[in-house]
């Protein structure tokens, strides 16, 4: 069977974007199906497709995979080039992805991804400012000189940080020159732009309009 990736609203679902980018970059044929979030029947719909009750959820012939990192690792089993080939770079890439997967909660809460938002600043919490500085320091510490991507060639790490770049753009957050250049690279990627274009066509309600 052709794998099916269930995603949330393209405009808002950062974890769906990550999984979609990885599968797309891998060249793995898949279909995507959107589950509108924040509807009265969303929980029921998610429960029917995902043991975790979340998106993204990838349906393959033998299993359902319902976590972005797990979906990415499944893809990397089929396309090893999704992680750097160099052992040291690969270890650092996995560490950076793990930090994003489990951390930076203040950025997520204070600056939710909204691909339809006109860039404009908001009041940032102290915790958010600290995490923005930490994010830039992380990128500076691991950035390879071998190419425009974080570890030279495009990798899963770049998929995981693409929604961060979109957040920094949407909330007009000033960055150091190196961090800004990396964000510009992520947001100019042709596959990301396909997702972004599709997000602009969505007409679902904005769940953040009463909180920002």
């Amino acid at each position: 069977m052709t794998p099916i990736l269930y995603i949330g609203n393209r405009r808002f679902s950062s974890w769906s974007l990550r999984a979609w980018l990885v599968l797309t970059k891998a060249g793995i044929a898949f279909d995507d199906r959107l589950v509108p979030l924040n509807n009265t029947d969303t929980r029921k719909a998610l429960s029917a497709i995902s043991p975790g009750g979340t998106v993204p959820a990838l349906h393959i012939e033998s299993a359902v995979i319902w976590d972005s990192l797990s979906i990415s690792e499944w893809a990397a089993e089929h396309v090893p080039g999704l992680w750097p080939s160099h052992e040291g770079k690969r270890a650092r890439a996995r560490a950076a992805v793990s930090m994003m997967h489990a951390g930076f909660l203040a950025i997520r809460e204070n600056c939710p991804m909204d691909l339809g938002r006109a860039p404009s600043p908001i009041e940032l919490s102290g915790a958010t400012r600290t995490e923005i500085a930490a994010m830039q320091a992380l990128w500076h510490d691991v950035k390879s000189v071998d190419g425009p991507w974080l570890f030279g060639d495009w990798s899963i790490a770049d998929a995981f940080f693409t929604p961060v770049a979109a957040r920094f753009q949407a909330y007009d957050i000033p960055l150091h020159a190196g961090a800004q250049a990396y964000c510009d690279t992520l947001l100019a990627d042709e596959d990301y732009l396909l997702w972004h274009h599709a997000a602009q066509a969505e007409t679902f309600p904005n769940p953040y309009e009463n909180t920002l």
Side-chain angles (χ1 to χ4, degrees):
M1 63 170 283
T2 300
I4 299 171
L5 180 68
Y6 289 88
I7 61 174
N9 308 19
R10 291 178 181 86
R11 178 176 170 182
F12 305 114
S13 183
S14 59
W15 293 107
S16 296
L17 169 58
R18 292 178 171 102
W20 185 90
L21 278 173
V22 170
L23 294 177
T24 300
K25 292 293 187 184
I28 296 173
F30 69 99
D31 296 327
D32 58 48
R33 297 182 186 174
L34 191 146
V35 179
L37 305 179
N38 299 300
N39 285 354
T40 55
D41 61 347
T42 294
R43 184 176 297 277
K44 180 179 179 181
L46 292 178
S47 296
I49 60 152
S50 170
T54 58
V55 285
L58 181 67
H59 287 218
I60 59 176
E61 188 170 3
S62 59
V64 176
I65 311 169
W66 66 93
D67 172 81
S68 294
L69 183 52
S70 296
I71 292 170
S72 299
E73 290 288 12
W74 173 85
E77 290 175 358
H78 294 78
V79 184
L82 292 172
W83 288 117
S85 58
H86 183 274
E87 181 181 19
K89 284 187 178 180
R90 188 166 61 252
R92 288 163 70 84
R94 281 197 161 106
V97 166
S98 294
M99 288 181 66
M100 183 66 250
H101 191 251
F104 298 104
L105 301 181
I107 291 177
R108 296 185 205 176
E109 180 178 355
N110 201 177
C111 304
M113 190 181 83
D114 181 354
L115 300 185
R117 190 177 197 276
S120 57
I122 60 171
E123 183 175 352
L124 300 174
S125 68
T128 303
R129 293 182 183 279
T130 297
E131 289 188 356
I132 291 170
M135 182 75 72
Q136 294 182 86
L138 170 64
W139 291 347
H140 179 269
D141 289 346
V142 302
K143 180 71 173 69
S144 172
V145 297
D146 298 331
W149 307 105
L150 204 58
F151 294 94
D153 294 330
W154 191 95
S155 74
I156 289 170
D158 300 300
F160 271 66
F161 289 116
T162 294
V164 178
R167 286 174 160 98
F168 289 169
Q169 180 186 61
Y171 299 97
D172 198 21
I173 294 173
L175 303 171
H176 299 312
Q180 185 62 61
Y182 177 52
C183 286
D184 291 344
T185 296
L186 293 174
L187 299 181
D189 176 69
E190 60 182 8
D191 292 315
Y192 167 73
L193 291 175
L194 286 174
W195 177 282
H196 186 273
H197 179 73
Q200 307 314 301
E202 293 181 349
T203 57
F204 305 108
N206 183 349
Y208 308 126
E209 61 187 359
N210 295 322
T211 61
L212 293 181

